[in-house]
Amino acid sequence: MPRHLDVMAGCRSFLPMQTALSVQDIRAQFPALARRHNGHAVAYFDGPGGTQIPRAVAEAMTAYLYHHNANTHWAYPTSRETDAALLAARTTLGDFLNAPADSIVFGPNMTSLTFHVARALGRDWLPGDEVIVTDLDHHANIDPWRDLAAEQDLVIRAVPFDPCTGQLDLTALERALSARTRLVAVGFASNALGTINDVAHVVDLAKAAKALTFVDAVHYAPHVLPDVEALGCDFFACSPYKFYGPHAGVLYGRRALLDRIKVARLVPAPQASPERIETGTLSHEAIVGSAAAVDFLASIGSGAVRRDQLAHAFAALHARAATQIRHLWHGLACLPHVTLHGPGPDNARTPTVAFTVDGYTSESVSAQLADQGLFLSHGDFYAWTVVQRLGIEGLVRAGCACYTTDEEVERLISAIKTLR
Ligand SMILES: Cc1ncc(COP(=O)(O)O)c(C=O)c1O
C-alpha cells in the first residue's frame, strides 16, 4: 500500500494503549452542540466547510485578548508575551505538521497565503514555464497559479480526474511533467468528493522532474495527521478553522525556500523566515486559537509528547469516522433517488460524502434537511471544476467530525429517505 494511503501508519503502536476520549466527552466541550432548530437538536455535518469550536479554543483566544494583547517586537511585557505566544504557536503547529517551528507561516487563510507564495515564486519564472494543477482541487490551489500564468505567460497543465470514481489521473499527471515544469499544485484530499490523493507519489514524480510541490491539505489535515517531513513536499497549507480552530491559514514552507523566495514585503518588516513571508499585523488571537485547536486534538489522545497524543487521537477519530462514513454510504447507496459521487468507503478517503437527490437542487435538499436540524453545505464549495466535470448544478455534502455520533448519521439517512 502506498505510504500515504495507509492513514493508520505510525498510529498502530498507540492502539492498544489507553483509549481516546469518547464522543460524549468530546461533545461536552462544544457549546454549539446545545443548539436546537425547529425543535430538533442540531447535527453539524458542515465540518468540511468549517468545524465547531471547543470551549478551550475560544478561552485561549479570549485570554490572549484580555491579558496579553499587543503588537509584536516591543520591549514591554504584553508585547514580549505576544512574541512568546506566536513562537509557541509555531512550535505547536510544527508538531502538528511534523515540521520545524521556523518553517511555519501564519496568514488570514489558505487562499491568501497561496496567492502570496505564487506571486513570489513567479518572480523567478520565465514565460513558457509550466505549472501543473488538477481538476479535482479547490480553486484556492488553481486560480493563484492561473492568475500568475495569465500575468507572466506561463503554461498551465490541468490534470483530469475520473468523474465516476473521483480518482485523480496520476498517469496524466506524470505525462504533464516536463523540463519546463516549475511547480505541481495538488490537493491532498478533495473537499468535494473526499478522495485522498497519492500525494507522496506526486511529490516523488515532481522531485524527479526538479519541480516544486504545493500541497493543499485544507481538507486532509482535519482527518489524517500530516507529516511534511515524511512527505518531502516544498509547501503544505492548511486552515485551522477546519480542525476546531478559528479562521486562519497555516503554511509550511521548506526553510531554504522561505529564506529566498521573492515575497512582496515591506522594507522595514522582519527579514528572517518565517516572518518575512507574513504581511502586516496578523490576528494574534487566531494564531493562539490555532495552537489551542491542535492542543484540543492532542487532548483526545494519549502519549508522552504532543505528536504521540495527536497520532493516538487521529487513529481513534479515523477509526470512528470510517465506520460512520461506511454506514452513511451504504445507507444512501440503496436509495433509488440518491446519487453518490466520489470514491466508495473502501478507498482512501476522508469522512466526507457528496450526493445529489433526483428532482431537487442541492440548495433545496440542504434547506429541507436544515428544517430537521441537520446542517449540511451545498453547491460547489469552490471545487468548481469538480462540479463542472460531474455535469451537475451542485452537490450536497455531509462531513463527519470528532463530535459526530452514530445516531446523527442515522437521523441523516432517515431524513434523506423521506425526500421524495
Ligand atoms: C480543500 C480546500 N482548499 C482550500 C480551501 C480554502 O481555504 P481558506 O478558506 O483557508 O482560504 C478550502 C476551503 O474550503 C478547502 O476546502
Side-chain angles (χ1 to χ4, degrees):
M1 180 183 283
R3 67 188 143 108
H4 87 290
L5 295 181
D6 188 2
V7 292
M8 303 294 275
C11 302
R12 288 205 178 89
S13 56
F14 297 93
L15 289 175
M17 291 173 44
Q18 194 185 330
T19 53
L21 285 188
S22 73
V23 70
Q24 290 313 332
D25 291 336
I26 292 171
R27 286 177 69 83
Q29 302 183 46
F30 285 83
L33 301 181
R35 186 177 175 127
R36 298 187 71 81
H37 182 68
N38 281 349
H40 301 279
V42 170
Y44 294 92
F45 285 101
D46 61 341
T51 42
Q52 300 307 312
I53 299 265
R55 207 172 276 111
V57 169
E59 284 173 0
M61 295 172 74
T62 308
Y64 170 76
L65 288 168
Y66 281 162
H67 305 298
H68 312 285
N69 188 24
N71 215 323
T72 52
H73 302 315
W74 280 314
Y76 51 89
T78 46
S79 180
R80 293 215 192 283
E81 286 157 20
T82 296
D83 290 340
L86 300 193
L87 186 58
R90 287 191 212 281
T91 304
T92 305
L93 268 298
D95 285 353
F96 181 58
L97 301 182
N98 200 22
D102 64 5
S103 62
I104 302 295
V105 176
F106 292 112
N109 48 54
M110 176 273 181
T111 305
S112 306
L113 286 165
T114 310
F115 270 112
H116 189 50
V117 167
R119 171 67 50 88
L121 290 170
R123 287 176 167 170
D124 279 332
W125 295 344
L126 299 171
D129 281 347
E130 299 175 6
V131 176
I132 296 179
V133 299
T134 90
D135 287 350
L136 193 56
D137 268 60
H138 186 290
H139 272 242
N141 204 21
I142 298 175
D143 293 342
W145 310 108
R146 283 203 183 278
D147 243 46
L148 186 69
E151 276 172 24
Q152 298 193 194
D153 282 336
L154 308 176
V155 176
I156 294 286
R157 301 209 179 278
V159 175
F161 70 96
D162 181 339
C164 296
T165 62
Q167 301 292 344
L168 200 56
D169 185 344
L170 292 179
T171 312
L173 193 148
E174 189 166 359
R175 272 201 310 266
L177 283 159
S178 80
R180 295 300 302 266
T181 309
R182 294 290 158 259
L183 180 133
V184 179
V186 65
F188 219 142
S190 161
N191 66 317
L193 304 181
T195 321
I196 292 182
N197 296 317
D198 189 349
V199 169
H201 180 55
V202 174
V203 170
D204 290 345
L205 290 174
K207 274 187 180 158
K210 297 192 168 39
L212 299 174
T213 39
F214 190 104
V215 179
D216 172 358
V218 172
H219 186 63
Y220 177 83
H223 304 294
V224 188
L225 184 61
D227 187 341
V228 294
E229 189 184 300
L231 191 60
C233 60
D234 295 294
F235 297 98
F236 188 98
C238 60
S239 306
Y241 73 94
K242 312 282 193 183
F243 51 87
Y244 318 107
H247 296 98
V250 175
L251 175 77
Y252 156 84
R254 197 154 53 75
R255 182 57 205 253
L257 280 166
L258 294 184
D259 287 346
R260 73 161 188 265
I261 59 173
K262 296 179 180 152
V263 273
R265 54 179 302 277
L266 306 186
V267 172
Q271 305 206 8
S273 310
E275 280 179 291
R276 70 183 293 273
I277 311 295
E278 295 168 347
T279 48
T281 305
L282 296 172
S283 170
H284 302 154
E285 59 276 21
I287 294 171
V288 166
S290 300
V294 172
D295 281 333
F296 159 74
L297 279 164
S299 77
I300 293 174
S302 61
V305 294
R306 185 160 42 213
R307 183 84 191 158
D308 289 353
Q309 293 161 3
L310 286 165
H312 181 219
F314 271 78
L317 293 175
H318 170 79
R320 188 189 299 153
T323 308
Q324 290 175 338
I325 223 63
R326 181 175 301 279
H327 187 61
L328 179 58
W329 183 277
H330 291 305
L332 298 185
C334 58
L335 303 180
H337 58 302
V338 172
T339 306
L340 289 157
H341 301 272
D346 294 331
N347 296 276
R349 61 161 13 269
T350 64
T352 297
V353 165
F355 61 94
T356 44
V357 180
D358 290 352
Y360 293 107
T361 64
S362 58
E363 182 173 2
S364 88
V365 173
S366 178
Q368 290 183 64
L369 295 174
D371 286 344
Q372 302 180 52
L374 300 160
F375 289 7
L376 284 79
S377 327
H378 75 276
D380 61 37
F381 325 110
Y382 289 8
W384 184 78
T385 309
V386 172
V387 168
Q388 293 289 307
R389 295 284 179 270
L390 292 174
I392 55 178
E393 143 286 324
L395 294 159
V396 188
R397 180 177 67 179
C400 294
C402 71
Y403 41 70
T404 305
T405 64
D406 297 351
E407 294 71 34
E408 287 176 330
V409 172
E410 210 54 62
R411 261 177 74 197
L412 179 58
I413 296 169
S414 305
I416 295 169
K417 264 186 199 157
T418 63
L419 294 172
R420 26 172 133 214

